[in-house]
Amino acid sequence: MFDDADPAALSDAVLEARVLGYAAQISALTAQFLGLVAEWDQRRAWAGPGVGSCAQWLSWKAGISLRTAHEQVRVARALVGLSVIREAFALGRLSYSKVRALTRVATPQRELELVNLALSTTAGQLDRAVRAMRHIDRDRGVDEGDRAAVESTGRWKWNADGSLSVSLTLSPLDGARFLAGAVRAEYERTRTCDDPDLPTLSSVPRNTETCPDEQEPETAPAQSRDLWRQVPSNVAPAVVAMAGMVHDGIAMPDLAPGAEILIHAGDGVDHAHLDDGPALSEADVAEARCGASTRDVLSRRVSGQSGKLALLGMGRRKRAPNKALVRALFVRDRCCQTPGCGRTRHLHAHHVEFWSAGGRTDPDNLILLCGSCHRSLHRGEFSITAHGRQRFTFHRPDGSEIEMVPPTSRPAGWRPDCRVGVAATVPVGGGRMNLGYTTEVLYAVWEWRQRNENRPVSVIQDAA
């Protein structure tokens, strides 16, 4: 199965066996990997300059995204006290997807039944069951005062096609505020004197006055649609209108990265584009400059360093960089430059060659560091060397260079685990899952076990 044969030369049956066999081996190897991660995390051997967590170390050293690394560390910690799940995982009988779901609801008292459930369901079915269990656990035996408050969170990312994806999870009150704001923004965005969907009440303000000769259109009460009183099904236009109102109505400090629209353009830029965002057409640039508060970033690329910008300096006269230079440093560095850190808050403009030692206040000698890394630097935990042309390297106390992106490679001498069967991850039985029946049986077993935990053994045997 591990002879490096050309997949195109394999029959369907052999190819299927290898796909499933490799999947089982990956699961078993992932179990071993998470066991090592748990021990590494417990020892805190990952700690170092710019590294504040085991997940951050994994993201830097192992090339894993920070979100995935956080989830792996969570699963690794949970598996320490779940021997039954851990054993099935090590034998390749449970995939990482199933284990990740199980660790959200599993306890040492529950794991035996949960493993049996996971072995006979698909990963999707198990996710449904776990979501139902979390709702049941949340609603059972939890006082309102003890229930953890829901925190509002939001994520965004630029997609490959240039569009922006935004995901919001809002607390009940924040959600109500958001929807109320969307309603108001939609009303403000659409209110015109000739819009038949808006109410014709004289008390409702309009942004255009009705001409004296014009008559308000008569609308039958049954056909009147006060859409502005309802939350629009597509909130995107209202959200954009809300953002525009806030942008125009709230003043910001002179230095507020992210609060203004930065457009990179000029002779040194191949295509105009948003700061850390997608490319813009000439029409987009013209529209942005016409209808929004924008700032053009004129720059040239540093030879030999993709993405680096050549910025103007200030020289030796002033120790503290001015606002324009600090803004330029934000555009260039974007975050703390210590390898493995990446923090974006509370950043300091650090003189690599100290000002007291004759260092200049210009981009060749300035670099952004977060507060904790800045303190670590001055404590001697690491050092920075400036090489000119805005190039910097980081070094450990022994002088060895700290790599910005450590290389990864497959380990030598690895052999597949012979205990892992070819079809170890294939569900037993399968078929449709009755979610209500499944959760009812599981919770009946767990409640029976809890009732009999403190009963004498003889009584339990007699009852059996």
Side-chain angles (χ1 to χ4, degrees), residues 125 128 431-440:
Q125 291 172 336
R128 287 181 55 212
R432 297 183 61 183
M433 179 184 67
N434 187 322
L435 182 58
Y437 176 75
T438 300
T439 54
E440 182 180 354

Side-chain angles (χ1 to χ4, degrees), residues 361-377:
T361 303
D362 59 31
D364 286 346
N365 193 48
L366 289 174
I367 192 170
L368 290 185
L369 300 177
C370 69
S372 60
C373 290
H374 204 176
R375 288 190 295 272
S376 298
L377 172 70

Side-chain angles (χ1 to χ4, degrees), residues 261-285:
I261 301 173
L262 297 181
I263 297 178
H264 290 260
D267 297 336
V269 179
D270 295 335
H271 299 284
H273 60 90
L274 292 173
D275 185 49
D276 198 27
L280 298 176
S281 66
E282 294 182 2
D284 292 333
V285 174

